[in-house]
């Protein structure tokens, strides 16, 4: 889920109370998102559309199922996508209706149990990278429509997806039984009678299929969401899913409805921020195709989320910085044949960043390449998204726009120029001091950590000691048992 973590917002048909008064589901989004659905042959009399199938298709797209269950260059929903979780790589399963490699043998009850309780048809447990903790809120009608779509419209792929093999003890799936007992609230969504139909709709979308909290809520030592910090922002690998509570400083309370709508639809709002990483994927594959009334419902619901202020923060991330250029001062500093002239953040910025973001940091005309000031990536309390954007790049395609948002990556896989940890730290610090939050700084060690996937949670750091610790504990128990037995025999 977590990849994402960042994962996608969704629409549902047949919703309880709040949703039923809304208009019927529109025609399916473009087939580019569901290549498993071949174009219908031309006919003199168009076939009557299958309303249930279209509802299921729309739910699958809105829930962003494709993002995790389709590997790059792979067949739709055939699995194999690698989710780099803090505990190891989890490979998404094949959810095509194949009886050999997928879920073709699942009954609707099996499907519902996997989706809402995290238990497969064979009884084994799923990891919560599959956000069943959020999907537990799904209505029976929506689960049924999703099942119908996957069984009727998705092309079966017989090849099984690559199997997940986490290190001990995380490979013991039975342990999820205890985790679910502690942290899974397996209850369906219940509309709040004190809230409007629109807000209830937004709550169902965002809290359920949307699984916003899976990425935007911090987690405790056992990797469960911290309820008191719902949507207050969380680390997501090397990226940071920001605070999206209604707080006007730390969250999105100072964004207008129009800006929030534009962000969910396009991933870009001038003077505020732009989506990258998992959120860019969610927008590209899912959010941009939501109906306008659904997006409006989500925005309305976001306004009701209790505000959470980050300790010590007094200035919104998007309010930092202004245009400034040191380009003139750099001219003539190094000779034409001088070696090792890329020796400062300003020089590195001029060589690798200014051609797109401009020497003043103002970005390009039209903001296809955004300004670096008044930008949440540079003005935040953490440099995570700035560093990750430099390392891994940005890619976001919006349907109907001629050009996609694109920034090349500068890690070891870069086809432009791989940069060292020291160079990336220098660029990041220059950008932060020149255009962003000057109180934040980046070290080469921080860049190295981001390059390897970000800071590991306590549970992951403890993993190497769990096996020897378990063996030691078992030996101590055996020794205690032997000692007690001998002591008892001695008394006899």
């Amino acid at each position: 889920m977590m990849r994402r973590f960042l994962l996608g917002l969704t629409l549902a048909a047949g919703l309880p109370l709040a949703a039923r008064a809304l208009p019927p589901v529109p025609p399916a989004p473009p087939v580019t998102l569901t290549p498993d659905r071949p174009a219908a042959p031309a006919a003199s009399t168009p076939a009557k559309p299958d309303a249930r199938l279209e509802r299921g298709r729309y739910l699958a797209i809105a829930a962003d199922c494709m993002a995790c269950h389709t590997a790059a260059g792979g067949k739709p929903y055939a699995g194999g996508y690698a989710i780099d979780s803090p505990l190891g790589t989890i490979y998404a399963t094949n959810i095509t209706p194949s009886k050999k490699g997928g879920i073709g043998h699942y009954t609707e009850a099996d499907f519902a149990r996997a989706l809402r309780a995290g238990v497969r048809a064979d009884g084994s447990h799923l990891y919560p990278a599959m956000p069943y903790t959020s999907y537990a809120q799904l209505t029976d009608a929506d689960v049924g429509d999703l099942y119908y779509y996957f069984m009727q419209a998705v092309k079966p792929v017989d090849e099984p997806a690559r199997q997940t093999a986490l290190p001990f003890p995380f490979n013991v799936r039975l342990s999820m039984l205890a985790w679910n007992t502690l942290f899974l609230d397996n209850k369906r969504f219940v509309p709040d009678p004190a809230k409007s139909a629109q807000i209830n709709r937004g709550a169902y979308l965002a809290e359920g299929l949307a699984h916003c909290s899976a990425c935007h809520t911090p987690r405790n030592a056992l990797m469960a969401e911290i309820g008191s910090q719902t949507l207050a922002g969380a680390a997501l690998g090397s990226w940071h899913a920001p605070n999206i509570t209604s707080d006007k400083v730390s969250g999105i309370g100072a964004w207008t409805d129009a800006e929030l709508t534009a962000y969910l639809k396009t991933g870009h709002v001038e003077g505020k921020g732009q989506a990258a990483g998992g959120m860019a994927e969610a927008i590209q594959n899912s959010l941009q195709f939501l109906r306008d009334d659904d997006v409006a419902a989500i925005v309305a619901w976001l306004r009701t989320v209790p505000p959470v202020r980050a300790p010590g923060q007094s200035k919104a991330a998007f309010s930092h910085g202004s245009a400034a250029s040191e380009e003139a001062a750099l001219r003539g500093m190094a000779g034409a044949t001088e070696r090792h002239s890329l020796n400062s953040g300003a020089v590195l910025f001029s060589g690798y960043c200014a051609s797109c973001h401009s020497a003043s940091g103002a970005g390009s005309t039209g903001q296809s390449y955004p300004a670096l000031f008044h930008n949440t990536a540079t003005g935040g309390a953490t440099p995570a998204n700035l560093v990750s954007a430099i390392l891994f790049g940005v890619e976001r395609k919006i349907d109907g726009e001629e050009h996609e948002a694109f920034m090349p990556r500068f890690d070891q896989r870069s086809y432009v120029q791989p940069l060292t940890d020291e160079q990336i730290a220098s660029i990041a610090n220059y950008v932060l001091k020149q255009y962003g939050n000057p109180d934040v700084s980046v070290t080469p060690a921080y860049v190295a950590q981001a390059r390897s996937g970000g800071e590991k949670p306590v549970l992951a750091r403890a993993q190497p000691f769990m096996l020897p610790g378990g063996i030691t504990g078992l030996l101590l128990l055996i020794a205690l048992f032997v000692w007690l037995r001998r002591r008892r025999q001695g008394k006899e």
Side-chain angles (χ1 to χ4, degrees):
M1 71 250 70
M2 252 307 12
R3 181 176 180 283
R4 27 241 133 182
F5 86 108
L6 309 169
L7 307 227
L9 298 169
T10 185
L11 170 102
L15 295 178
L17 300 181
R20 289 175 182 162
L22 295 176
V25 174
V31 294
T32 52
L33 280 181
T34 54
D36 53 287
R37 178 68 172 171
S44 56
T45 303
K48 184 178 179 180
D50 186 332
R52 190 182 188 195
L53 186 146
E54 295 305 321
R55 287 196 303 269
R57 183 202 306 279
Y58 191 42
L59 281 166
I61 293 173
D64 207 9
C65 303
M66 181 82 76
C68 284
H69 287 279
T70 304
K75 297 177 181 178
Y77 301 115
Y81 182 90
I83 300 171
D84 294 321
S85 84
L87 307 182
T89 301
I90 296 173
Y91 293 95
T93 54
N94 179 333
I95 56 171
T96 72
S98 166
K99 292 186 177 181
K100 293 182 178 179
I103 59 171
H105 61 287
Y106 275 46
T107 64
E108 187 172 324
D110 292 334
F111 183 82
R113 191 182 183 208
L115 198 63
R116 299 193 292 202
V119 180
R120 299 190 301 204
D122 62 5
S124 60
H125 287 264
L126 297 170
Y127 296 110
M130 154 66 170
Y132 59 84
T133 52
S134 296
Y135 292 163
Q137 298 196 42
L138 276 170
T139 64
D140 292 341
D142 287 342
V143 171
D145 289 343
L146 276 167
Y147 178 78
Y148 183 77
Y149 166 69
F150 277 104
M151 293 300 166
Q152 300 298 322
V154 174
K155 184 177 180 180
V157 178
D158 290 338
E159 183 180 354
R162 182 172 176 177
Q163 294 297 305
T164 297
L166 297 183
F168 179 85
F170 309 134
N171 61 339
V172 182
R173 288 181 180 262
L174 191 61
S175 65
M176 293 309 305
L177 181 62
W179 193 93
N180 289 338
T181 301
L182 291 171
F183 303 118
L184 173 61
D185 184 9
N186 196 2
K187 295 179 181 177
R188 310 301 163 249
F189 177 79
V190 177
D192 184 346
K195 301 289 177 63
S196 69
Q198 183 186 48
I199 291 175
N200 274 308
R201 172 71 164 180
Y204 179 83
L205 297 175
E207 294 176 354
L209 277 170
H211 56 279
C212 299
S213 66
C215 290
H216 290 274
T217 298
R219 295 177 180 266
N220 61 24
L222 293 178
M223 303 303 292
E225 296 174 18
I226 302 173
S228 62
Q229 295 289 307
T230 298
L231 303 181
L236 201 65
S238 66
W239 298 88
H240 181 79
N243 183 325
I244 56 171
T245 72
S246 61
D247 189 83
K248 292 188 176 182
V249 174
S250 300
I252 47 81
W255 292 48
T256 67
D257 287 0
E259 287 172 334
L260 290 171
T261 298
Y263 187 85
L264 292 173
K265 283 286 192 179
T266 69
H268 172 77
V269 176
E270 186 173 348
K272 289 294 195 299
Q274 47 284 318
M279 190 64 188
E281 292 180 356
I283 289 170
Q284 175 172 303
N285 294 324
S286 172
L287 299 181
Q288 65 169 312
F289 298 107
L290 289 181
R291 289 189 328 208
D292 291 344
D293 60 317
D294 286 328
V295 174
I298 293 166
V299 171
W301 172 78
L302 283 170
R303 298 298 187 200
T304 71
V305 175
V308 179
R309 177 71 58 86
Q313 186 176 1
S314 59
K315 191 174 183 179
F318 61 78
S319 63
H320 285 276
S322 60
S325 175
E326 294 186 7
E327 195 70 19
L330 299 177
R331 299 302 180 190
M333 288 183 61
T337 60
E338 183 174 339
R339 301 179 64 187
H340 309 300
S341 60
L342 299 177
N343 52 15
S344 72
V347 173
L348 288 163
F349 177 86
S350 176
Y352 293 112
C353 312
S355 59
C356 291
H357 293 284
S358 88
S360 67
S364 62
T365 301
Q367 293 294 290
S368 293
Y369 297 103
L372 298 177
F373 49 86
H374 300 315
N375 188 321
T376 53
T378 62
T382 169
N385 291 342
L386 171 61
V387 170
S388 292
I390 297 171
L391 277 170
F392 309 119
V394 177
E395 192 169 355
R396 188 179 67 250
K397 176 66 176 175
I398 301 303
D399 192 60
E401 292 189 3
E402 183 179 357
H403 303 291
E404 65 180 291
F406 179 76
M407 171 181 166
R409 60 195 300 157
F410 290 94
D411 65 352
Q412 60 272 25
R413 292 173 53 193
S414 176
Y415 61 83
V416 177
Q417 175 63 58
L419 298 179
T420 66
D421 296 338
E422 290 75 14
Q423 289 174 318
I424 291 176
S426 294
I427 292 173
N429 284 324
Y430 175 80
V431 169
L432 290 166
K433 298 299 182 292
Q434 193 83 340
Y435 308 115
N437 186 346
D439 296 329
V440 176
S441 62
V442 176
T443 65
Y446 181 91
V447 178
Q449 184 180 73
R451 195 187 292 268
S452 64
E455 184 179 4
K456 304 298 182 186
V458 173
L459 198 61
R461 295 199 299 270
Q463 185 275 326
F465 308 101
M466 289 181 180
L467 182 58
I471 294 174
T472 301
L474 180 61
L475 291 175
L476 287 174
L477 286 174
I478 293 173
L480 179 61
F481 174 78
V482 171
W483 178 77
L484 289 173
R485 185 175 181 182
R486 287 181 176 177
R487 183 180 181 186
R488 182 181 301 173
Q489 291 174 342
K491 289 182 178 180
E492 292 175 353

